[in-house]
Amino acid sequence: MPAPVTALTEFQRLEAQGSWRETPESRLREVIVSVGAATLTMMDPKSDRPLSHWSLPAVTRINPGQLPAIYTPNGQAPDETVEIDDPLMIEGIERVQRAIAIHRAVPGRLRGVVTVLGAVAMLAALTFWLPDALIRHAARIAPPAQARTIGLAVLADLEHSAGAVCRRRSGQQVLDWIAPQLIGDQALVQVVPAPLNGARRLPGDLYVLGNDLLVTTPGPEASAGHLIAARLAVEDKQATLDALRHAGLMNSLRLMTLGTLSRDAMQGYGETLLSQSLPRPDLATLPPAFAERGLSTEPYARSIDPTGAAVLPLIEADPIRQGTTPARLLTDEQWLALQQICAG
């Protein structure tokens, strides 16, 4: 800040004669008064020995507007005083005092600005960070039963766009039998009539499969591969978090406190999911997962790209080509029942 610095520099070597009284009972004594950066010094004119040092910020003039100007070091009852009649010295003392006051006031204002900015930042954090933090917490602590409730709500909304879940009993029995072997003991697989170009993972270890895979592929291997890929592509907690972010803060709080969602919590989310490209896992993670289950990666790869060009590494890493013994997923009767799950 240029002004305070200029004033301090301009008057820091200023000297003038004055009359100093150490106590009210002492006689006046001629001294040299010297202005420093922040001090007023009284010196013996014969020996240049300092007689007294005053802090400039505390120096007070006790007879404003009169000459000689009389100053005291602390503004209290004047025990010690100095009288000065040099106009330049009087002006110098006043200017340096103003400069020091300004110099001290700025940090105070800065602290005020910093405090305000801190409050604004905190408010912004509460406004933008806290809601998402609460939603993330709700997703993280949701037990499996609650996550399944969320998944079923998503599926119910998805049915508006993809058609009602196919519920032919014989086909669903096949899915219920094969799902634990492919993707987990608690997994539930549902089929919808609309083409999904694969499988999607919903909250609560719930998977939805498009009927197109069942009726356009020669065997169950491609569908099985898509279910495995869906499991690897998205963690269940992430699927739950994505759904709760759509549902919003109030529904997330309701889930944490009451364990339920409002009827329209997932409204529109199914259509949103279908408008997004299908999540795919890192291709390098698939061959080991397929090998563990005795599956070939080629049917899955060619269902993604019939030419095989885009998934050539996946075909070349086929566990069956590497010597893994192929597993027979379903009998012909089971496969036929699964293909007819959406029939009548």
Side-chain angles (χ1 to χ4, degrees), residues 86-342:
D86 186 307
L88 184 59
M89 173 59 80
I90 294 171
E91 181 189 356
I93 292 172
E94 292 177 354
R95 287 185 58 181
V96 173
Q97 284 184 314
R98 286 198 300 269
I100 291 172
I102 293 172
H103 191 66
R104 288 185 169 184
V106 168
R109 290 199 299 270
L110 181 60
R111 283 193 297 271
V113 171
V114 170
T115 301
V116 171
L117 290 177
V120 171
M122 184 175 294
L123 182 60
L126 291 174
T127 302
F128 298 105
W129 171 82
L130 184 60
D132 191 61
L134 288 172
I135 292 172
R136 283 187 279 111
H137 180 66
R140 186 168 57 253
I141 67 171
Q146 276 190 357
R148 178 62 62 86
T149 298
I150 297 169
L152 291 173
V154 175
L155 180 61
D157 189 74
L158 190 145
E159 287 183 282
H160 295 304
S161 302
V165 168
C166 302
R167 301 191 181 277
R168 188 165 184 172
R169 183 176 177 80
S170 57
Q172 189 62 50
Q173 286 177 333
V174 173
L175 287 175
D176 294 344
W177 176 80
I178 194 66
Q181 303 174 48
L182 292 176
I183 49 180
D185 292 341
Q186 304 304 316
L188 173 64
V189 181
Q190 304 274 256
V191 177
V192 292
L196 299 184
N197 300 317
R200 284 187 180 271
R201 185 175 193 174
L202 306 182
D205 223 12
L206 176 62
Y207 297 79
V208 59
L209 189 68
N211 190 49
D212 54 320
L213 270 178
L214 302 179
V215 298
T216 61
T217 55
E221 289 78 13
S223 298
H226 278 280
L227 289 171
I228 295 170
R231 181 177 183 85
L232 294 176
V234 181
E235 292 287 338
D236 193 63
K237 291 297 184 184
Q238 184 62 50
T240 303
L241 174 58
D242 293 341
L244 287 181
R245 279 178 170 155
H246 175 86
L249 176 61
M250 297 310 296
N251 271 300
S252 298
L253 293 174
R254 174 172 174 161
L255 185 71
M256 286 191 290
T257 55
L258 301 178
T260 62
L261 294 170
S262 64
R263 293 175 61 87
D264 60 349
M266 294 301 162
Q267 185 174 353
Y269 187 53
E271 185 175 354
T272 298
L273 281 180
L274 293 178
S275 68
Q276 299 170 354
S277 59
L278 202 67
R280 304 285 188 194
D282 183 350
L283 293 184
T285 65
L286 292 176
F290 279 51
E292 186 179 338
R293 296 161 177 81
L295 285 178
S296 169
T297 55
E298 187 165 353
Y300 167 76
R302 293 196 181 279
S303 71
I304 297 174
D305 178 15
T307 68
V311 287
L312 186 59
L314 193 55
I315 295 175
E316 292 177 341
D318 188 345
I320 306 305
R321 293 189 182 188
Q322 307 302 322
T324 298
T325 302
R328 187 179 186 189
L329 289 177
L330 301 175
T331 65
D332 291 342
E333 291 78 10
Q334 286 175 318
W335 174 232
L336 181 60
L338 184 53
Q339 285 184 300
Q340 294 178 345
I341 192 171
C342 291

Side-chain angles (χ1 to χ4, degrees), residues 30-41:
E30 294 299 317
V31 294
I32 301 296
V33 182
S34 175
V35 176
T39 60
L40 196 66
T41 304

